[in-house]
Amino acid sequence: MSLSIGIVGLPNVGKSTLFNALLRSSQALAANYPFATIEPNVGIASVPDERLARLAPIVHTSVIKPVTIEFVDIAGLVRGASQGEGLGNKFLSHIKATSAIAHVLRVFANPDIIRDTPVDPVEDFATVRTELQLSDLEIIGRQVPPKGSVTPAAKQRWALIQQFQKTLENGQNISVCIQNLSDEERGAAQALAQELNLLTHKKEIFVLNVDEADLARAEAVASEWAEKLGVDKKQTVVVSAAVEAELAQLEEAEQLAFLAEMGVRESGLERLARVAYETLGLQSFLTAGELEVRAWTIKRGTSAVNAAGVIHTDFVKQFIKAKVVDFQDFVDLGGWKAAGEAGKIRLEGRDYVMREGDVVEFVLGGK
């Protein structure tokens, strides 16, 4: 499945610098003035996964294909964007196609970066979130009540629209409304939010763009700002776009040494990917053969047959069983043959629920 993250925030908070660093490129114009980004920049970043590097020599391949994330760098939002200020709905519409929204919030201090107002992440976040809510409110306001002979489904749809409107008018996201519904109503509400492509239904990640010195105390910084922003710390990522830009210029071994010097274990991309997976309820399974080793993204709770369909849709019909080995057993024993001899290969049926890090070979039949 594809994973796409829209990078949003006010002008000059470091969105384009972060985007370029994550992609190890200079695709987006990172300039010291508002609206340097007009059309959205879209790029694919490979997420480092040390498990693949451990699998590759075991199965005698040099082809490693990690999980990828599509990042969309969207022009800076300003107050009034939902009514056309700045670049208005032209770029609000670009957020609609993404899986999640990453709010980039400027925590770093740099007087040389142009800014119309003082650095205030709480106020910045409130501005952006309000504009997203106003954009959704405008869509909700265009809906009309059903007329004539009304079906139960149409009645429910209109009742949900009214609940959505009340939630937005109270300054809350659609996701809050859906979370508070009964199990019976929640499915219909989620389907309606997707149908209308409402922005505040999307999962959110909060990226704190900090000074280099704050990286070593990232946990404390995340806790402090999550509380101030009123968001879940688990959805909060601490990065330094400036440091990520430096990392982008280094070879892999040099990157690890550079991070170690700062007391940091993971790059910003790895931290962002981990939080995105957690926020969106995702996990990975692995395939390992002579052609390649590869990580595949699936939703938590995905069955073996549907995981096979992620590789190729035809595999759903052709599925017979899945040969599954725990990653650590596969590595410790040295591959498929030894794992089989040790009795560590499990033969699972179509309803088996995949686990994080399963090493899998799907057995298929038919054409």
Side-chain angles (χ1 to χ4, degrees), residues 3-5 7 19 22-23 25 27 40-46 68-73:
L3 174 56
S4 177
I5 296 177
I7 301 175
F19 174 87
L22 295 174
L23 267 65
S25 74
Q27 181 174 330
N41 296 293
V42 181
I44 305 293
S46 296
T68 60
I69 298 178
E70 179 184 75
F71 288 102
V72 184
D73 174 33

Side-chain angles (χ1 to χ4, degrees), residues 54-313:
R54 296 175 67 186
L55 290 175
I58 294 173
V59 295
H60 311 292
T61 187
S62 59
V63 180
I64 294 177
K65 294 186 178 180
V67 162
T68 60
I69 298 178
E70 179 184 75
F71 288 102
V72 184
D73 174 33
I74 295 163
L77 285 162
V78 295
R79 192 180 303 279
S82 56
Q83 282 78 47
E85 291 296 323
L87 299 181
N89 288 325
K90 178 179 174 63
F91 58 82
L92 279 173
S93 64
H94 297 311
I95 308 172
K96 295 182 185 292
T98 61
S99 311
I101 295 172
H103 294 270
V104 178
L105 301 166
R106 176 180 169 177
V107 182
F108 69 90
N110 185 340
D112 295 329
I113 301 294
I114 294 172
R115 169 108 190 179
D116 292 335
T117 57
V119 174
D120 186 344
V122 175
E123 182 63 26
D124 291 356
F125 176 50
T127 296
V128 172
R129 183 172 260 187
T130 296
E131 292 308 318
L132 300 183
Q133 290 169 353
L134 289 172
S135 177
D136 281 355
L137 200 53
E138 193 270 332
I139 293 171
I140 292 295
R142 294 201 303 262
Q143 308 307 306
V144 294
K147 297 177 181 178
S149 180
V150 180
T151 66
K155 277 186 180 179
Q156 183 187 45
R157 185 181 190 277
W158 182 244
L160 288 170
I161 284 172
Q162 290 177 303
Q163 290 184 66
F164 285 177
Q165 181 169 5
K166 184 177 179 181
T167 298
L168 291 165
E169 288 174 344
N170 287 336
Q172 294 180 304
N173 283 357
I174 293 296
S175 56
V176 173
C177 174
I178 294 175
Q179 186 179 349
N180 293 331
L181 294 174
S182 67
D183 291 342
E184 182 181 350
E185 293 176 306
R186 194 171 295 131
Q190 288 174 335
L192 177 59
Q194 290 170 354
E195 174 200 330
L196 298 177
N197 221 340
L198 300 177
L199 298 176
T200 66
H201 171 243
K202 292 183 181 294
K203 297 289 187 179
E204 295 176 302
I205 301 166
F206 311 100
V207 181
L208 305 174
N209 188 7
V210 303
D211 290 309
E212 178 180 334
D214 284 331
L215 285 178
R217 50 183 293 271
E219 282 294 309
V221 172
S223 295
E224 174 190 347
W225 282 104
E227 184 175 354
K228 288 180 179 179
L229 295 164
V231 301
D232 191 338
K233 181 189 171 186
K234 292 179 182 177
Q235 294 167 245
T236 305
V237 188
V238 175
V239 303
S240 168
V243 168
E244 294 299 313
E246 289 185 56
L247 280 174
Q249 308 303 316
L250 303 176
E251 298 296 328
E252 185 175 349
E254 295 174 315
Q255 290 179 18
L256 295 174
F258 184 68
L259 290 171
E261 281 180 20
M262 293 187 297
V264 180
R265 293 188 302 107
E266 298 175 303
S267 69
L269 174 59
E270 290 171 285
R271 292 194 298 277
L272 182 53
R274 180 162 42 78
V275 171
Y277 262 52
E278 179 66 28
T279 300
L280 292 167
L282 304 176
Q283 65 184 41
S284 298
F285 70 90
L286 312 172
T287 53
E290 292 183 0
L291 293 179
E292 65 178 27
V293 292
R294 184 164 181 167
W296 304 84
T297 302
I298 54 174
K299 283 274 191 184
R300 286 193 208 122
T302 297
S303 64
V305 66
N306 288 329
V310 170
I311 297 178
H312 196 292
T313 54

